Amino acid sequence: MSQVWAVPGGHVPFGGTGGEPQFTSFDKLCVLNTTDEVAEVRLHFYYEDAEPVGPYRFAVGARRIRHVRINDLIDPEAVRLDRPYGCVLSSPVPVVVQFLRQDTRLPGTVALTGTMAHPVG
């Protein structure tokens, strides 16, 4: 567990060939909080050709998980689709972060990949 996590290889695929939301392409963060305190998460996004954006904020209850679709993040601005990004997640309490991507751009194909985010520090 760590209080800071990095995802260097984000890229929300644009488009999909199925119904929303089950078969829409997405990136997703899965956050596990095993502590007895709420994790007030802050998320910053980094791009190749633009200044960082954030913080995006969400909470993960004590002893709970939360799945957050990157596509759904709109405040302070919508995350840019079909562009490479990296993100850094920070929490006042230790959490575990997994990164998932679903790509449904090819008809009849659903590609789902997952990996652990990288703990920082």
Side-chain angles (χ1 to χ4, degrees):
M1 291 198 299
S2 181
Q3 289 177 262
V4 182
W5 293 83
V7 175
H11 179 267
V12 178
F14 186 72
T17 58
E20 171 73 32
Q22 296 86 358
F23 294 104
T24 299
S25 296
F26 62 76
D27 281 2
K28 182 187 289 187
L29 296 174
C30 306
V31 182
L32 167 65
N33 177 8
T34 62
T35 74
D36 292 329
E37 298 177 43
V38 172
E40 298 290 344
V41 173
R42 295 176 5 142
L43 189 59
H44 289 83
F45 285 82
Y46 298 82
Y47 299 98
E48 292 177 327
D49 58 354
E51 288 299 309
V53 179
Y56 295 81
R57 299 174 189 269
F58 60 90
V60 182
R63 299 176 310 284
R64 299 289 186 266
I65 63 167
R66 179 146 182 203
H67 292 232
V68 176
R69 277 177 41 145
I70 301 301
N71 310 40
D72 296 340
L73 297 174
I74 58 171
D75 185 22
E77 69 178 44
V79 173
R80 297 158 192 178
L81 302 181
D82 207 29
R83 291 182 63 188
Y85 70 83
C87 65
V88 174
L89 180 145
S90 60
S91 167
V93 298
V95 295
V96 177
V97 179
Q98 181 182 25
F99 175 76
L100 296 171
R101 173 173 297 133
Q102 176 174 290
D103 189 345
T104 62
R105 291 175 291 180
L106 297 175
T109 303
V110 176
L112 182 63
T113 59
T115 187
M116 293 301 297
H118 182 76
V120 177

